[in-house]
Amino acid sequence: MAGIYIHIPFCKSRCIYCDFYSTTSLDLRGPYVDALLRELETRKLSALNASDSVLRTVYIGGGTPSVLNICNLDSICGQISELYGLENLQEFTIEANPDSVTDSFVQGLAQLPVNRVSMGVQSFNDSILRFMKRRHDSAGALRAYDRLRAAGFENLSLDLMFGIPGQTIGMLVGDLDRMLELEPEHISVYSLSYEPGTCLEKLISTGQASALSDELCQSMYRTICNRMALAGYNHYEISNFARPGHESVHNSNYWNGTPYLGIGAGAHSYNGYDIRSFNNSNLKQYIAYYGTGLGCDKKDNVPDSPCQYEILDAVDRRNEYVMLALRTSAGIELVDFENRFGKESTAQLLDMAEPQIKDGNLVLADGKLSVPQEKFFISNSIIVELFLEKE
């Protein structure tokens, strides 16, 4: 078990684009943390992969983990330390929103084993932030960043969003310039998507906002890639850029198939080979199951198990490997692919890739098959052509 992910599903309010599982029921934070501690203990014995039982990364994400108080976070850190040990820990990340990065929060955070903070800035343009119903403004994001630096955090990641209705190339460049001036160690860049059921999707469908064209979004992505390269950032995954040596260890584990344990409502786990599990995303059921112990009262409609399992067959494993590896600049190591899936499957992969290689959508060099950076924006359509279909 190389990584633990802790899901904190609380937000003070919902952004217009968000379709992640989260809730504004902040009064449930205490009971939820108690349930997290119980799940960490309960699942220790089934920690996914006995051959890789050393804990190397912890990631507390959400939602908005920074809406928890330091006492809550200290309890979570203490439980992880006691049950799994932190002596081999390489990276401990927590996500935060600028509005909750107060002086007292940062001072408390600095006393915890957290050594990396990922902050959702999204934009430095106040009109865009208001449109997306973010709870901070540009000045607030800068104050939060300065507080984290002053507290001694030397590994900071900032999120930037593009493809927002009303956004222009010039506005994006302004955001990029301001973000690069701060010199964070890591920057994650996401194209805004219009997910069903979100406020943003309703605005688009009712004509109250207009989606940007694919051509403009692709131009924005190229602009981002070019400016990041000039600033010395390594484009190591479709949406992620890092200064050398500051690539996200935890997230890289997702892409290279390392096992991880997901704790919390809606969290996913993977044993590194053929089993995925995912927790029930019903917050009250999760709290009832773990908060009151196993065998809680069925009148609350608590499931017999908080987890559902998915068994991956050979085709699933192969397709997933292809999908995740080709999201990265490293691509598919053909020797590793052959070790996992055999010579026949490797030959089949290369045969399927040949038309894409001829079209310049894939590159075969130095024993690797990869998507060139200039094609990252359309990588999904490239990768799907390499999938095997089930019989």
Side-chain angles (χ1 to χ4, degrees), residues 315-389:
V315 173
D316 292 328
R317 296 196 301 273
R318 184 262 191 204
N319 287 348
E320 187 165 287
Y321 180 95
V322 169
M323 176 186 68
L324 294 174
L326 288 180
R327 287 187 61 89
T328 70
S329 59
I332 295 173
E333 295 269 2
L334 294 178
V335 170
D336 183 57
F337 188 89
E338 183 174 316
N339 289 338
R340 290 171 183 257
F341 305 106
K343 289 185 178 181
E344 183 177 339
S345 185
T346 304
Q348 182 184 43
L349 172 69
L350 293 176
D351 184 59
M352 296 175 73
E354 186 175 356
Q356 301 271 29
I357 294 171
K358 288 181 178 178
D359 290 342
N361 292 329
L362 289 170
V363 173
L364 180 62
D366 302 321
K368 298 178 182 179
L369 183 68
S370 60
V371 178
Q373 179 182 281
E374 62 269 20
K375 301 289 186 174
F376 267 0
F377 191 78
I378 59 168
S379 60
N380 285 345
S381 62
I382 297 170
I383 294 169
V384 73
E385 293 298 321
L386 303 181
F387 284 176
L388 293 179
E389 294 185 7

Side-chain angles (χ1 to χ4, degrees), residues 162-163 191 212-222 377:
F162 71 98
S191 176
L212 300 190
S213 68
D214 289 342
E215 292 75 16
L216 179 53
C217 289
Q218 189 164 355
S219 179
M220 287 180 166
Y221 186 73
R222 286 196 299 268
F377 191 78

Side-chain angles (χ1 to χ4, degrees), residues 252-306:
S252 294
N253 286 341
Y254 293 149
W255 304 317
N256 63 30
T258 300
Y260 57 90
L261 180 64
I263 301 294
H268 288 230
S269 302
Y270 177 53
N271 74 342
Y273 181 61
D274 63 347
I275 300 176
R276 289 200 177 280
S277 66
F278 46 98
N279 284 348
N280 189 326
S281 60
N282 184 302
L283 184 63
K284 291 186 177 180
Q285 287 186 2
Y286 174 83
I287 291 173
Y289 188 93
Y290 282 112
T292 60
L294 305 180
C296 46
D297 195 336
K298 295 299 186 291
K299 70 178 182 173
D300 294 323
N301 296 317
V302 179
D304 293 331
S305 170

Side-chain angles (χ1 to χ4, degrees), residues 55-339:
L55 179 62
R56 297 186 179 88
T57 66
V58 176
Y59 195 108
I60 303 181
T64 311
S66 50
V67 302
L68 297 184
N69 60 43
I70 293 300
C71 183
N72 290 150
L73 293 172
D74 185 47
S75 295
I76 294 170
C77 293
Q79 184 80 319
I80 294 173
S81 178
E82 180 179 343
L83 294 172
Y84 299 91
L86 299 179
E87 57 273 8
N88 296 299
L89 200 67
Q90 297 173 299
E91 182 183 274
F92 193 132
T93 302
I94 185 170
E95 292 181 348
N97 274 358
D99 67 301
S100 53
V101 180
T102 62
D103 286 329
S104 60
F105 180 83
V106 171
Q107 290 166 10
L109 197 64
Q111 305 305 311
L112 301 180
V114 173
N115 58 19
R116 183 175 183 270
V117 179
S118 177
M119 190 163 66
V121 173
Q122 313 307 357
S123 175
F124 289 99
N125 185 300
D126 286 341
S127 64
I128 285 180
L129 291 171
R130 285 192 297 270
F131 171 75
M132 294 193 296
K133 297 193 183 302
R134 299 291 293 172
R135 296 183 302 276
H136 67 276
D137 57 14
S138 177
L142 296 174
R143 286 194 300 272
Y145 185 88
D146 289 343
R147 285 178 181 133
L148 290 167
R149 285 298 195 206
F153 287 97
E154 298 178 349
N155 194 356
L156 298 182
S157 178
L158 302 181
D159 288 354
L160 178 68
M161 193 167 282
F162 71 98
I164 304 160
Q167 188 180 36
T168 65
I169 291 283
M171 294 163 73
L172 174 65
V173 169
D175 278 344
L176 278 169
D177 288 347
R178 191 68 191 93
M179 187 165 284
L180 291 172
E181 285 174 6
L182 296 175
E183 300 184 339
E185 285 69 32
H186 188 280
I187 297 175
S188 295
V189 178
Y190 302 106
S191 176
L192 184 65
S193 58
Y194 311 108
E195 301 298 335
T198 62
C199 291
L200 178 60
E201 188 269 338
K202 291 177 182 177
L203 290 175
I204 298 296
S205 63
T206 58
Q208 298 178 69
S210 298
L212 300 190
S213 68
D214 289 342
E215 292 75 16
L216 179 53
C217 289
Q218 189 164 355
S219 179
M220 287 180 166
Y221 186 73
R222 286 196 299 268
T223 299
I224 291 167
C225 294
N226 292 337
R227 289 197 169 240
M228 292 293 188
L230 289 173
Y233 286 80
N234 173 30
H235 192 179
Y236 71 103
E237 194 269 346
I238 288 174
S239 300
N240 289 278
F241 303 78
R243 293 195 176 280
H246 288 91
E247 293 81 4
S248 171
V249 180
H250 185 88
N251 288 339
S252 294
N253 286 341
Y254 293 149
W255 304 317
N256 63 30
T258 300
Y260 57 90
L261 180 64
I263 301 294
H268 288 230
S269 302
Y270 177 53
N271 74 342
Y273 181 61
D274 63 347
I275 300 176
R276 289 200 177 280
S277 66
F278 46 98
N279 284 348
N280 189 326
S281 60
N282 184 302
L283 184 63
K284 291 186 177 180
Q285 287 186 2
Y286 174 83
I287 291 173
Y289 188 93
Y290 282 112
T292 60
L294 305 180
C296 46
D297 195 336
K298 295 299 186 291
K299 70 178 182 173
D300 294 323
N301 296 317
V302 179
D304 293 331
S305 170
C307 278
Q308 297 183 50
Y309 291 87
E310 177 187 6
I311 306 299
L312 305 178
D313 62 20
V315 173
D316 292 328
R317 296 196 301 273
R318 184 262 191 204
N319 287 348
E320 187 165 287
Y321 180 95
V322 169
M323 176 186 68
L324 294 174
L326 288 180
R327 287 187 61 89
T328 70
S329 59
I332 295 173
E333 295 269 2
L334 294 178
V335 170
D336 183 57
F337 188 89
E338 183 174 316
N339 289 338

